[in-house]
Amino acid sequence: MHLIFVTGGVVSGLGKGISTSSIAKVLKMKGFSATVMKIDPYINFDAGTLRPSEHGEVWVTEDGGETDQDLGNYERFTDTTLGKKHNVTTGQVFSTVIERERKGEYLGKTVQPIPHITDEIKKRIIDVADSTKADFVLIEIGGVVGDYENILFLETARQMKLENIPVVFVHVAYLPFLEKLGEIKSKPVQHSTRELLSLGIQPDFIICRSAMPIDDVRKEKIGLFCNIAKQNIIDNPDIGNIYELPLFFEEQDFGNKILKKFNIDAKPSDDIEWKNFVNILNNVDKTIKIGIVGKYFDIGGYKLLDSYVSVIEAVRHACAENQVSPDIRWIDSKDFEKYPSRLDDLKQLDGIIIPGGFGGSGVEGKISAIQYARENNIPYLGLCYGMQLAVIEFARNVCKLENAHSTEILPDCKNPVVDILPWQKEIIAKQNYGATMRLGGQIVKIKPGTLAYATYNKGNVIERFRHRYEINPDYVNILEKYGLIFSGSTPDETIKQIAELPGHKFFIASQFHPEFTSRPLKPNPLFDGFVKACIDLVR
Ligand code: GLN
């Protein structure tokens, strides 16, 4: 067991997850196995109950966990499948300890943050190390050093080193560039490292997140004040393409420097495939315009694209595969409700995606966009909500089913073509919302002779789900009669999971989220098929 703890300094949102993923990737390129965990300081049991516009996308693991979006980066960079236990939260740890206390398991003892909470955190880390048998376990600690909230996690890390487990600490800190002075300032990183030292943790490496690489003079200064050798200060400047970071780390021999800390001999890296992938992303000049029509784009004055990070990445993977580069346009569906004439702007797009979503806001705008894609032969990919709304659009405008809708939005609508999954009714009645959707990897049976079959080129696939509503089985016949094809279903064929339109350039919508199984060098077939249609490649 070799543990690498990654902490953050100065500000949050500085790309600690990408740094952690890139370290794991570097170790994998050297032939080691590496797995990654995220420890989040919030009390929520999991990320499923957090608002995407506040916290970013909810990542769904194959085993049905609703986790922090960083697990998506870990899976993408390392091409592994992680389980829900790779995301630990304060909520999980405390509830386990409190439950144990109530059962009398600590009878007679005073139950305390140290050692009872720290022991539970340790147990969870060791469990991941044991069950994955990975050569390296990277543990990213959420938040920033100096926060109250993550102090018990940092304390756990300190204790693990004390227990003679091979541990390396990597501190990722931000160095601001002050434009007026024309200078990068190292004081904040010094202070955040001092804070870490006061907790008994000496970082082995400092990763400098900044606008540009750090010069030698400053590295010496940081080294002196932070008690660290200059060569262990690693650059991580702003780069346009996140997938370049492992290569940038490798240029600094970061992988071998980590191995040396663990007393493991240096090893060469096999990075040819990854380099090729990065080259394509950086160098293709053919561009396709893809519109993503959604609603979680604004928070205050900012556009928050984190809510759709996996969709963006899946598009990039498929584009790299097809040697094009995506020009993604963010389209707020509410605009079409206010200004219907804006629908005509969709004409200039090569393809349209409607991603997952919940609730009524912006829904009519999304339905109009789907109608536009259907009627104007624009490639369309619907993801979860994007499938339900495509079926509603078809029911309303082709089958002429008046007021067709989803009971999620209109509980007593006349034609509920999308209705709650029967076993979800009780859950909603009890308002038992945490981790109760239909979640995780499920088998999708694909009908031979369909576009979905041609796209996947197999009859059974496993894709990840996160939903409470389904295509109402009572309406399947009439929808099929008017030409909609249900090309994917549960193995027993009771729940429809893919819908497609024959005679259209490419119109596929899935009840699952294909973005969760897309990887660099291994794009998800639905995204690949969609991108091929966008560039008019005939399959
Ligand atoms: N709101 C829909 C449902 O719960 C779709 C969910 C989604 O897009 N992830 O079924």
Side-chain angles (χ1 to χ4, degrees):
M1 178 165 50
H2 300 93
L3 306 182
I4 301 174
F5 284 97
V6 181
T7 55
V10 183
V11 289
S12 61
L14 82 176
K16 193 155 39 90
I18 302 293
S19 295
T20 309
S21 307
S22 297
I23 298 173
K25 178 69 191 169
V26 162
L27 292 165
K28 285 203 87 176
M29 290 194 301
K30 290 190 174 293
F32 294 99
S33 58
T35 195
V36 194
M37 294 176 75
K38 172 82 189 277
I39 302 194
D40 278 311
Y42 46 73
I43 309 280
N44 301 58
F45 201 84
D46 58 37
T49 49
L50 292 165
R51 195 193 316 280
S53 56
E54 205 176 291
H55 193 75
E57 164 195 274
V58 177
W59 176 259
V60 180
T61 55
E62 178 148 307
D63 66 356
E66 297 174 288
T67 71
D68 189 85
Q69 58 168 330
D70 274 324
L71 268 81
N73 287 319
Y74 308 156
E75 287 204 30
R76 281 187 285 269
F77 274 73
T78 60
D79 189 20
T80 44
T81 301
L82 304 177
K84 57 176 103 167
K85 63 182 176 196
H86 288 250
N87 191 187
V88 174
T89 69
T90 295
Q92 291 168 17
V93 173
F94 274 76
S95 69
T96 306
V97 172
I98 291 169
E99 209 176 294
R100 222 178 266 148
E101 187 278 332
R102 288 291 78 188
K103 280 194 196 143
E105 287 182 29
Y106 304 107
L107 226 47
K109 292 205 182 88
T110 308
V111 183
Q112 292 177 296
I114 303 170
H116 300 99
I117 294 292
T118 46
D119 279 353
E120 176 57 27
I121 301 166
K122 240 176 259 177
K123 204 166 138 226
R124 285 168 183 256
I125 295 171
I126 290 168
D127 179 30
V128 167
D130 286 347
S131 61
T132 59
K133 300 196 171 48
D135 298 325
F136 294 94
V137 182
L138 289 97
I139 306 113
E140 177 186 344
I141 298 182
V144 170
V145 172
D147 291 347
Y148 272 119
E149 296 183 333
N150 57 17
I151 209 141
L152 287 168
F153 299 127
L154 294 166
E155 167 59 13
T156 306
R158 183 193 71 81
Q159 290 179 19
M160 288 185 103
K161 173 128 190 171
L162 188 70
E163 288 162 15
N164 281 331
I165 297 169
V167 169
V168 156
F169 290 106
V170 179
H171 189 50
V172 188
Y174 186 68
L175 283 81
F177 174 70
L178 297 189
E179 223 159 296
K180 272 236 164 84
L181 297 178
E183 201 187 335
I184 284 187
K185 302 301 281 181
S186 68
K187 195 71 89 186
V189 67
Q190 293 173 33
H191 283 214
S192 103
T193 307
R194 183 181 297 167
E195 188 77 37
L196 204 50
L197 289 167
S198 76
L199 298 171
I201 294 176
Q202 166 68 57
D204 297 287
F205 296 95
I206 292 178
I207 296 184
C208 296
R209 268 295 295 122
S210 59
M212 54 199 75
I214 311 299
D215 58 18
D216 261 11
V217 178
R218 247 154 288 252
K219 276 191 182 160
E220 255 154 41
K221 193 160 153 198
I222 297 168
L224 179 65
F225 283 96
C226 300
N227 197 27
I228 186 170
K230 192 177 98 187
Q231 70 270 19
N232 291 338
I233 298 171
I234 307 292
D235 279 320
N236 179 356
D238 290 347
I239 38 177
N241 173 3
I242 52 169
Y243 296 114
E244 232 176 284
L245 191 58
L247 302 175
F248 200 73
F249 279 171
E250 263 313 79
E251 278 172 28
Q252 301 172 72
D253 207 23
F254 192 14
N256 284 335
K257 288 176 185 173
I258 292 174
L259 294 182
K260 193 169 170 201
K261 286 275 175 196
F262 284 116
N263 291 321
I264 301 173
D265 291 341
K267 268 198 159 192
S269 304
D270 177 5
D271 55 6
I272 306 255
E273 273 196 320
W274 197 260
K275 264 191 181 144
N276 272 344
F277 167 70
V278 168
N279 266 340
I280 295 171
L281 283 180
N282 289 351
N283 297 319
V284 289
D285 27 67
K286 188 176 162 61
T287 303
I288 51 170
K289 291 191 205 93
I290 294 174
I292 299 186
V293 183
K295 70 165 182 181
Y296 291 126
F297 296 145
D298 308 317
I299 176 159
Y302 299 96
K303 269 198 189 317
L304 196 104
L305 304 184
D306 262 10
S307 330
Y308 297 112
V309 58
S310 294
V311 177
I312 304 173
E313 294 310 321
V315 167
R316 292 178 77 202
H317 305 156
C319 280
E321 176 78 13
N322 292 287
Q323 311 259 342
V324 288
S325 135
D327 168 5
I328 296 180
R329 309 285 168 96
W330 297 98
I331 301 165
D332 188 338
S333 59
K334 286 174 290 206
D335 284 354
F336 298 137
E337 295 169 3
K338 275 186 258 160
Y339 319 103
S341 65
R342 291 221 179 140
L343 280 166
D344 276 329
D345 296 348
L346 298 175
K347 200 170 263 165
Q348 35 158 324
L349 298 173
D350 297 304
I352 294 173
I353 294 177
I354 296 203
F358 294 84
S361 143
V363 150
E364 290 305 322
K366 289 183 193 175
I367 293 175
S368 320
I370 297 169
Q371 181 177 9
Y372 195 92
R374 180 176 59 77
E375 290 176 346
N376 292 283
N377 206 21
I378 302 174
Y380 174 72
L381 181 61
L383 312 171
C384 200
Y385 216 20
M387 169 181 178
Q388 297 174 356
L389 299 177
V391 171
I392 291 168
E393 189 279 317
F394 191 85
R396 283 186 190 174
N397 300 320
V398 180
C399 310
K400 304 288 176 210
L401 291 170
E402 217 181 300
N403 297 330
H405 221 320
S406 164
T407 51
E408 175 176 358
I409 297 146
L410 213 60
D412 46 3
C413 70
K414 196 166 157 201
N415 282 301
V417 291
V418 176
D419 198 7
I420 191 148
L421 285 155
W423 47 275
Q424 286 284 335
K425 271 192 192 144
E426 215 177 305
I427 290 170
I428 295 272
K430 286 190 191 148
Q431 299 200 328
N432 181 13
Y433 290 116
T436 52
M437 284 189 236
R438 180 169 178 252
L439 286 169
Q442 319 268 347
I443 297 174
V444 181
K445 181 175 165 187
I446 305 194
K447 206 189 236 171
T450 60
L451 176 60
Y453 198 96
T455 309
Y456 275 105
N457 205 15
K458 50 176 142 162
N460 272 322
V461 296
I462 294 180
E463 292 283 11
R464 300 185 196 174
F465 290 78
R466 182 173 187 251
H467 68 123
R468 287 189 206 281
Y469 293 80
E470 63 167 339
I471 306 306
N472 187 341
D474 297 344
Y475 285 86
V476 167
N477 276 344
I478 180 159
L479 290 160
E480 282 179 336
K481 197 177 117 203
Y482 279 88
L484 194 67
I485 293 177
F486 288 106
S487 46
S489 64
T490 43
D492 64 3
E493 296 184 15
T494 52
I495 308 179
K496 301 300 178 197
Q497 312 207 307
I498 306 178
E500 64 181 66
L501 270 182
H504 191 281
K505 224 185 204 176
F506 185 97
F507 191 106
I508 287 199
S510 65
Q511 185 59 79
F512 50 84
H513 292 268
E515 63 270 29
F516 292 140
T517 50
S518 175
R519 305 278 181 267
L521 301 155
K522 273 189 219 157
N524 176 283
L526 289 189
F527 278 90
D528 185 43
F530 170 71
V531 164
K532 283 192 164 68
C534 293
I535 50 181
D536 266 327
L537 270 186
V538 189
R539 65 177 53 253

